[in-house]
Amino acid sequence: MAPESKALTTRVTSGSPYQLDQSQTLKASTALLKHIHTESDRKEAASTTKSLLKTDDSSGDTASPDAEPIWLVLTTKRHISDQRRLKPGKIPLPHPLNSSPTTTICLITCDPQRQVKDTISHSSFHASLSSRITKIIGISKLKARYQPFENKRQLLSEHDLFLADARVVTMLPKILGKVFYRSHKRPVPVSLEPYRQTNAEGKRVTPKPATEKSKALASPEQIAKEIEKTLGCAFVHLSPSNNVSVRIGLSSFTPEQVAENVEAVVTGLVEKFIPKGWRNVRGVHIKGPNTMALPIWLADELWVEEGDVLEDEEAEKMKALAVKGGAKRKGRGLIKVEDENEGNRVKRERSEGNEKGEREKRRRIEDTDLSKEMKERREKLREQKRADREEMQGKTKAAAIT
């Protein structure tokens, strides 16, 4: 007997079908974490050396150094973006991934960098956050010191996360190059500007900097708030494709934490980044770095709009026209192109006739030139024969006289 087929996902019992099933999300999260932990224990038992980075998950540190990332993979029916976006998007997470106190942060700022360093070292700036910011570098020094490829790779390996002032983030792709933008450590924009204030007329006014050379900088409390807000987000890197992957958890998380992050990221993607929303979503999966993708939600149809689907009669007409000479589809109707094919046929025949005439003309010219050349050769041979004959006759007469 054939094995019984089991559904990969379950349908939503009530409401719109374009939503996640919480039970299915929790089920997939539990199965994925169980598999990752089982594989990790098996590899550790088979290994002859003990990992010094191995920590106890019960210690409460959800961002342990040896934790493997968990990815959300969302596929769409149409392309998400028409071009590659080098500026990452941000989606707030209920359980942040960068909450570990050992995470090292590199902050790229506009010039002068001393102004930002003084702000970070200010007493009102959170000490727990300032200790994680291990490097602050201005855009001019970044451009001067990290031109060689090896220096860029070293900078990439020295820090876990890169933040950049939103005023200079568009300049970084040209400076940092493919070393950074082919990895998952692309600089994430963070606002270091002060909030715009409202004047007496009700218009927003940007605060002026202290000096002409300096840039307007927010207060230490505001900068700390913006950085903490950025650290609590998942980063979305979009490309011209129908697939996007977002890091939404770690193997040290609980299934409930992973499920909550999945729901938050899917909601953010559908509302902010996916054109047409849920109608354009084809499937949602979660996976580890070395695991299969577990389905959470799968679409019933593979089209976005009803106009994209042909009825049976229209499909038959399309096939018939394709056999006869082709057809073009515009909107929801079909346009015959028989006249266009006839015009193309006439143009093609004219072109072939012109080419044939040109070939015939070239052949006649070549024949004429060849006949002239052969005639000249015959005349030359006759002259040589005549000269030889006269020479022989002269020699014969001379011999007879002697």
Side-chain angles (χ1 to χ4, degrees):
M1 295 178 62
E4 296 183 358
S5 60
K6 296 182 179 180
L8 294 178
T9 59
T10 57
R11 292 181 175 271
V12 181
T13 55
S14 62
S16 172
Y18 299 106
Q19 59 178 322
L20 291 179
D21 186 357
Q22 296 182 356
S23 61
Q24 176 70 15
T25 305
L26 183 60
K27 180 181 178 181
S29 303
T30 304
L32 179 62
L33 290 175
K34 182 179 179 180
H35 174 75
I36 292 177
H37 294 159
T38 303
E39 285 296 311
S40 178
D41 295 340
R42 184 185 64 79
K43 291 181 181 179
E44 185 181 2
S47 177
T48 57
T49 59
K50 184 177 181 181
S51 176
L52 299 178
L53 298 177
K54 185 69 175 179
T55 58
D56 187 7
D57 293 342
S58 62
S59 61
D61 183 14
T62 57
S64 57
D66 60 328
E68 296 183 1
I70 297 176
W71 296 87
L72 172 80
V73 182
L74 188 143
T75 55
T76 58
K77 303 168 187 175
R78 294 180 180 175
H79 278 199
I80 303 172
S81 175
D82 56 350
Q83 60 183 354
R84 189 177 185 87
R85 298 183 184 179
L86 300 179
K87 185 177 179 180
K90 294 182 286 187
I91 299 177
L93 291 176
H95 305 284
L97 307 179
N98 302 304
S99 60
S100 174
T102 59
T103 304
T104 57
I105 302 172
C106 176
L107 180 60
I108 303 172
T109 68
C110 55
D111 297 325
Q113 65 181 20
R114 173 50 55 186
Q115 187 180 5
V116 181
K117 288 183 177 181
D118 295 340
T119 304
I120 299 297
S121 60
H122 196 271
S123 58
S124 60
F125 196 89
H126 299 173
S128 58
L129 183 59
S130 62
S131 61
R132 300 167 63 186
I133 302 176
T134 55
K135 190 178 186 63
I136 301 174
I137 185 170
I139 190 69
S140 60
K141 288 189 176 181
L142 179 69
K143 189 184 301 183
R145 293 181 181 178
Y146 293 95
Q147 285 186 355
F149 185 80
E150 294 78 8
N151 294 357
K152 294 177 183 178
R153 291 186 60 183
Q154 183 179 0
L155 179 64
L156 181 69
S157 62
E158 288 177 350
H159 304 281
D160 300 324
L161 186 65
F162 290 85
L163 303 180
D165 192 338
R167 292 170 287 188
V168 300
V169 71
T170 55
M171 302 167 59
L172 296 180
K174 187 176 181 180
I175 298 174
L176 298 177
K178 64 181 181 181
V179 178
F180 276 76
Y181 285 88
R182 283 187 179 179
S183 67
H184 295 287
K185 293 185 181 181
R186 297 179 186 177
V188 181
V190 58
S191 177
L192 302 183
E193 290 184 280
Y195 296 138
R196 293 185 178 182
Q197 301 175 357
T198 307
N199 57 12
E201 299 178 356
K203 297 181 179 180
R204 290 185 176 183
V205 179
T206 303
K208 296 182 179 180
T211 61
E212 295 181 357
K213 294 184 179 181
S214 62
K215 298 286 186 179
L217 198 65
S219 62
E221 295 84 358
Q222 180 184 336
I223 293 179
K225 181 180 178 181
E226 290 293 330
I227 293 178
E228 288 180 348
K229 181 180 177 181
T230 302
L231 295 178
C233 293
F235 308 130
V236 182
H237 305 281
L238 297 180
S239 61
S241 66
N242 64 338
N243 181 286
V244 60
S245 300
V246 183
R247 195 162 67 103
I248 51 93
L250 299 171
S251 59
S252 56
F253 281 16
T254 62
E256 291 76 11
Q257 291 175 331
V258 174
E260 291 175 5
N261 281 1
V262 167
E263 294 179 3
V265 171
V266 170
T267 302
L269 286 173
V270 171
E271 293 179 355
K272 297 180 181 179
F273 301 100
I274 306 298
K276 304 284 186 182
W278 273 106
R279 293 287 298 177
N280 193 20
V281 179
R282 184 171 183 175
V284 181
H285 301 72
I286 58 172
K287 68 182 297 293
N290 300 309
T291 67
M292 299 291 289
L294 298 182
I296 294 178
W297 187 89
L298 297 175
D300 292 333
E301 67 279 348
L302 300 181
W303 56 87
V304 179
E305 299 176 354
E306 295 297 332
D308 297 336
V309 184
L310 291 178
E311 298 293 340
D312 294 339
E313 296 180 358
E314 293 180 341
E316 293 297 331
K317 290 181 180 179
M318 174 71 82
K319 292 180 180 179
L321 290 174
V323 172
K324 290 182 179 179
K328 285 186 177 180
R329 185 172 176 222
K330 184 177 180 182
R332 299 184 61 182
L334 299 175
I335 300 178
K336 296 182 179 180
V337 293
E338 295 177 356
D339 296 338
E340 182 178 349
N341 291 337
E342 181 66 21
N344 293 336
R345 184 183 63 78
V346 173
K347 291 180 181 179
R348 186 170 59 254
E349 290 179 355
R350 288 178 180 176
S351 177
E352 292 176 355
N354 294 335
E355 291 180 0
K356 186 176 180 180
E358 291 292 334
R359 288 196 300 269
E360 185 67 24
K361 185 177 180 180
R362 286 196 299 268
R363 187 181 63 79
R364 287 197 300 268
I365 293 174
E366 291 175 357
D367 292 345
T368 304
D369 295 341
L370 182 60
S371 61
K372 289 181 179 179
E373 184 178 357
M374 293 179 65
K375 185 177 181 181
E376 291 176 356
R377 286 184 178 182
R378 284 195 296 269
E379 291 293 335
K380 189 175 181 180
L381 288 173
R382 289 194 187 99
E383 292 292 335
Q384 289 179 355
K385 288 180 179 180
R386 189 182 300 112
D388 293 341
R389 197 163 46 247
E390 291 177 355
E391 183 180 358
M392 290 297 295
Q393 290 177 357
K395 290 180 178 180
T396 305
K397 289 181 180 180
I401 295 172
T402 56

